[in-house]
Amino acid sequence: MAICVFDISANGTASVPTDSDLTGNGRYRWWHYDMTDPEFAGWVTSHLPPIPAGALLQAETRPRCDTYNDGLMLNLRGINMNKDAVADEMISLRLWVADDVLITVRRRKVFAVDAIRAACEAGNAPKDPATFLEWLVDGLTTRVENHIDTIEQLTDFYETDLEDTDTLPPRDLPVTRRSIIRLRRYLEPQRHALAKLAAINLPIMPEPNAMQLREIANRSTIAVEELDELRDRLTSIQGEHDNHVAQRQARHSYVLSVAAALFLPLSFITGLFGVNLAGMIGADHPHAFAILCLSMLGLSVAMVAILRWIRWI
């Protein structure tokens, strides 16, 4: 059973049909299905040719735009805004678009589609399939842009943190970098699909709608370019943090090396004078210990002078 179905007239009003025919008496009929519906596979194979039916039934999809006769096969992706979901795990939407019928299929809720559904219920539906596509693509792209803005704000925060060289790398920095990788995986092919959609020469795609779709495709291109910039900025931020950590480790290693260089001859002398053998020099002299300590102090001063001379310190 469809999630919703509307007969949409040319003036934008919508009504729920009482029949189960693929098309209706309005300007076009919109069917919206959940792919997990057990009745969907049988319904779509009985109403559509094999190729578009197979496209709607594909288990795994990537953004695409292809023509079939006078219709369009579209796969698009949107930000996952469902509760307890990861936004960058973009959810798919499959479409078949003809002049008198439009079918959308999803697995999980797509908020851009729900916005159109609410408009239909309010009597302000897209007046034709081209306008429907324009509204849908604009809704998907706007939500992508909003999510990228959130990532950009995080990146600005990470860059501000770099001013304090003692700040540890943010724990969510790797998560943000992986988020960009996942987003770009789908947005790059979606950019090409939208550009192809805007350039398609079909009766169902009038020039005014095609012009609007070209503008939205351009926004999608800008979104991909912003992701590339954010990826590079985050890589630079990670590199800066790695440099700060390496510098701290090098400084600590340097201090330990200097301390080891100073104490190595002193340890040798104390070990030598600590042996329990007869004939040790100064063993019976009352000031032997003081002389030894002063000698070790003098040796330490000499070692510091030598290390400064060879520019270790």
Side-chain angles (χ1 to χ4, degrees), residues 202-215:
L202 284 178
I204 62 173
M205 191 60 62
E207 179 57 27
N209 298 104
M211 183 179 301
Q212 291 297 325
L213 286 172
R214 283 194 290 271
E215 291 300 313

Side-chain angles (χ1 to χ4, degrees), residues 254-265 299-313:
Y254 169 74
V255 172
L256 291 175
S257 298
V258 171
L262 288 173
F263 283 99
L264 183 60
L299 180 60
S300 298
V301 173
M303 287 293 299
V304 171
I306 292 171
L307 291 175
R308 281 187 176 275
W309 181 61
I310 64 176
R311 296 185 178 179
W312 271 37
I313 58 176

Side-chain angles (χ1 to χ4, degrees), residues 183-310:
L183 284 171
R184 202 183 185 288
R185 174 190 174 190
Y186 293 113
L187 290 181
E188 176 64 21
Q190 182 145 309
R191 174 174 72 90
H192 292 293
L194 293 181
K196 186 175 180 181
L197 173 63
I200 280 177
N201 183 20
L202 284 178
I204 62 173
M205 191 60 62
E207 179 57 27
N209 298 104
M211 183 179 301
Q212 291 297 325
L213 286 172
R214 283 194 290 271
E215 291 300 313
I216 300 172
N218 183 61
R219 287 165 51 196
S220 182
T221 299
I222 293 173
V224 173
E225 292 172 349
E226 288 178 348
L227 283 178
D228 290 340
E229 179 192 0
L230 291 172
R231 179 188 59 192
D232 293 340
R233 289 172 63 187
L234 290 173
T235 300
S236 176
I237 292 169
Q238 184 68 63
E240 288 289 335
H241 280 294
D242 292 343
N243 287 337
H244 292 163
V245 172
Q247 289 172 1
R248 286 196 295 268
Q249 290 176 341
R251 186 165 58 248
H252 297 160
S253 299
Y254 169 74
V255 172
L256 291 175
S257 298
V258 171
L262 288 173
F263 283 99
L264 183 60
L266 302 181
S267 300
F268 172 75
I269 293 173
T270 55
L272 178 63
F273 279 86
V275 297
N276 295 318
L277 294 175
M280 179 62 64
I281 299 174
D284 298 326
H285 196 285
H287 301 297
F289 181 71
I291 294 171
L292 177 63
C293 291
L294 291 173
S295 300
M296 294 175 63
L297 178 60
L299 180 60
S300 298
V301 173
M303 287 293 299
V304 171
I306 292 171
L307 291 175
R308 281 187 176 275
W309 181 61
I310 64 176

Side-chain angles (χ1 to χ4, degrees), residues 1 29 34 66 103 125 127 135 157 191 296 299 303:
M1 183 176 179
R29 177 170 288 187
D34 188 325
D66 293 299
I103 303 172
K127 298 178 181 181
W135 288 18
F157 173 74
R191 174 174 72 90
M296 294 175 63
L299 180 60
M303 287 293 299

